[in-house]
Amino acid sequence: MQNQLSCEQVTALLSFYVEGKLSNKLTEYVKIHLDNCPECMEKFIQLKHMLTKFVNNQEPEDIESPYITKQYETFKSNLSAYIDNELNNLDSIKIKKIAISNPLARQDLENIYTFKKLLHSSFERTKTELKNDYSKSTVNNLQHENDEQKNIDAFFKLTAIFFIMITAIVAGIITILYF
Ligand SMILES: [Zn+2]
């Protein structure tokens, strides 16, 4: 069956799945995998909470887990500042220690890095698309100018031929009349 996704594939698709950006078919495949894979389901829940927090700037609802401690809450409230290098050395060491000891925190850290990378890559993609559009329109403009140039050339050629013909005819008439 084609619809058996691996954990790696599901992980790669998760952020798109959370944002509802997958096709109906892929959404269905991811859903089937999540229903049968607790590990990926856990990742999904984490990512969903993280995205909810960052997109809507809201605190996620509490999830039942032994790792949700006061320390973890500290970690979460400092994570954004940590990622943006806004913490002092002591505080960022604290965050690193929590990330090492708490799997939830570690997952959050990985997710936020993935999220940032995704944001960055989609930004890059937009930039590339814009660049492509720009060069496309530049090429179109050049093409257009070429066409205009050709039209002008053709006009001058026709005019030249016309004058040569008129001159020849006039010369012929003069020759016939006067010689
Ligand atoms: Zn899985």
Side-chain angles (χ1 to χ4, degrees), residues 26-38:
L26 270 180
T27 304
E28 189 60 31
Y29 294 167
V30 172
K31 213 169 160 240
I32 291 168
H33 184 99
L34 291 182
D35 286 342
N36 296 294
C37 178

Side-chain angles (χ1 to χ4, degrees), residues 107-160:
Q107 189 64 58
D108 279 348
L109 192 63
E110 276 171 23
N111 285 344
I112 195 173
Y113 273 127
T114 311
F115 182 59
K116 283 213 126 192
K117 243 192 281 174
L118 277 171
L119 269 187
H120 184 72
S121 70
S122 72
F123 175 69
E124 284 294 312
R125 208 164 45 228
T126 313
K127 255 186 13 193
T128 318
E129 274 162 17
L130 279 177
K131 225 189 285 172
N132 282 343
D133 279 357
Y134 177 73
S135 50
K136 220 186 278 168
S137 69
T138 308
V139 168
N140 279 342
N141 285 342
L142 284 175
Q143 194 71 46
H144 196 64
E145 275 168 25
N146 270 344
D147 288 350
E148 273 175 9
Q149 193 58 47
K150 271 183 209 149
N151 286 341
I152 291 166
D153 287 349
F155 174 75
F156 277 116
K157 263 182 214 157
L158 280 174
T159 313

Side-chain angles (χ1 to χ4, degrees), residues 26-144:
L26 270 180
T27 304
E28 189 60 31
Y29 294 167
V30 172
K31 213 169 160 240
I32 291 168
H33 184 99
L34 291 182
D35 286 342
N36 296 294
C37 178
E39 276 163 83
C40 287
M41 186 50 122
E42 177 70 14
K43 277 186 201 169
F44 165 67
I45 291 167
Q46 288 301 314
L47 188 60
K48 204 174 157 182
H49 280 283
M50 192 204 72
L51 282 174
T52 310
K53 190 180 169 185
F54 280 91
V55 173
N56 302 328
N57 206 13
Q58 287 167 350
E59 281 297 324
E61 309 146 33
D62 281 343
I63 7 165
E64 299 245 354
S65 169
Y67 296 111
I68 296 183
T69 56
K70 220 172 144 60
Q71 202 190 36
Y72 177 62
E73 294 303 329
T74 312
F75 170 83
K76 277 182 125 182
S77 46
N78 284 304
L79 184 57
S80 181
Y82 172 74
I83 294 288
D84 292 329
N85 289 320
E86 284 169 5
L87 291 182
N88 62 39
N89 281 346
L90 206 72
D91 282 339
S92 50
I93 286 168
K94 227 194 280 177
I95 294 299
K96 269 182 216 161
K97 273 186 182 162
I98 299 171
I100 290 164
S101 63
N102 187 322
L104 271 187
R106 198 163 52 238
Q107 189 64 58
D108 279 348
L109 192 63
E110 276 171 23
N111 285 344
I112 195 173
Y113 273 127
T114 311
F115 182 59
K116 283 213 126 192
K117 243 192 281 174
L118 277 171
L119 269 187
H120 184 72
S121 70
S122 72
F123 175 69
E124 284 294 312
R125 208 164 45 228
T126 313
K127 255 186 13 193
T128 318
E129 274 162 17
L130 279 177
K131 225 189 285 172
N132 282 343
D133 279 357
Y134 177 73
S135 50
K136 220 186 278 168
S137 69
T138 308
V139 168
N140 279 342
N141 285 342
L142 284 175
Q143 194 71 46
H144 196 64

